[in-house]
Amino acid sequence: MALNVASFKTRNAIEGHSLRYANERTEFIADDIFPPVMIEKAEVKVYQYDTSNMRYVDTQKDSKAEADLVDYGAFTVNRTARLHKLAGEIDPADEREFDPAVADISMDMAETIMERLLIAKEIAASTLVETTGNYPSALTATLTAGSTWLDAAGDPETNSATARSAVKGLCGKAPNAAAMSWDTFDKLRAAPYFIDRMKYTSGSITGEAFKTMLAAWMGVQSISVGGGLKNTNLESNATQTLSNIWADGILFYVKNPSPSKRVVRYGANYIRNQLYTHKYQVEERGSGDGRIQRLEMGWWYVLQPSCVVSSSNDDFTAGYYLDNVV
């Protein structure tokens, strides 16, 4: 009887090698668009000076006349941070039995929780940015078929100039930054308009070089490219599909990472505390290898517009959303 070779072979796992689908942290851009502003309590109010500072008055006076008085105004908007948290369980028995390459369950669980917290924040940011109803009508537009930036008749520089002018006309500052999805950015590298602009340059342009050129053509100092993906399929579905978190529009916005007074900025991440991590035992469950460990991570925050129309109108005034770019 011939020997069954398979009965004499086992497969050892490679200890220092494994594969994992995950978003890179640099692909999340929510904190670029909504820079953190630390708050002490969950419920706060934010002061905003109105445009009375820009009012023209006649300053010419006779030396014997009194100078006219000037004044300024301000209003407040309320902001409320919410708790966002997730948890996962770690069984010491699993850590004992799993192959070494996947036995660091604590690390894997922490990475998984962090990834999902960041995806949730990124989706909140993209929803806020891409909802055209969050802008005054002058600060949003949708490109129609035939005039997108992928079409021969598309006019990116004119569209960009319109965006810059509209923002400056409403908040006094021209946008100095832009944000778009990785998919949009990648498609623009082959757009007829930009191909024509690059035809006298090197035949090979790196992604970073194109980003620099694109920023210059759009009239901004920097571009954030959101490359995060999300999986919204139910876990039991046979098909699991990844899709872009960010859509096909471009945001032109006033970027100011400083939380200081008297600034203009597009949005803010009002955050009550930095990310917390809490690990505890579930005494009722476990085995001789140890009790079940539960790892919880989270933070209190809310993403909101910074400069707005008024105390009763929460629309963005320091940004312009151009939809259907590609």
Side-chain angles (χ1 to χ4, degrees), residues 18-38:
S18 64
L19 307 170
R20 181 177 185 266
Y21 289 130
N23 287 302
E24 297 289 342
R25 297 289 188 264
T26 55
E27 292 180 319
F28 294 118
I29 60 173
D31 284 343
D32 286 349
I33 302 170
F34 298 90
V37 174
M38 299 303 300

Side-chain angles (χ1 to χ4, degrees), residues 30 33-35 37 39 42 44 46 77-82 121 124-125 128-129 134 265-271 301-308 314-316:
I33 302 170
F34 298 90
V37 174
I39 58 178
V44 297
V46 180
V77 291
N78 295 330
R79 300 295 183 233
T80 303
R82 303 294 185 186
K121 184 167 71 168
L128 197 57
V129 168
N134 291 337
R265 67 196 306 180
Y266 171 80
N269 173 15
Y270 296 103
I271 180 169
Y301 72 87
V302 63
L303 306 180
Q304 294 277 233
S306 284
C307 291
V308 296
D314 218 23
D315 286 350
F316 290 102

Side-chain angles (χ1 to χ4, degrees), residues 12-18 99-102:
N12 294 328
I14 303 174
E15 293 190 13
H17 178 69
S18 64
D99 284 330
V102 291

Side-chain angles (χ1 to χ4, degrees), residues 66-79:
E66 288 188 7
D68 290 334
L69 295 176
V70 295
D71 206 346
Y72 62 92
F75 59 86
T76 62
V77 291
N78 295 330
R79 300 295 183 233

Side-chain angles (χ1 to χ4, degrees), residues 231-242:
N231 180 351
T232 55
N233 299 111
L234 295 176
E235 193 165 339
S236 58
N237 283 10
T239 301
Q240 297 292 306
T241 305
L242 299 178

Side-chain angles (χ1 to χ4, degrees), residues 57-62 65-71:
V57 292
D58 187 358
T59 58
Q60 183 174 317
K61 284 288 183 179
D62 186 88
E66 288 188 7
D68 290 334
L69 295 176
V70 295
D71 206 346

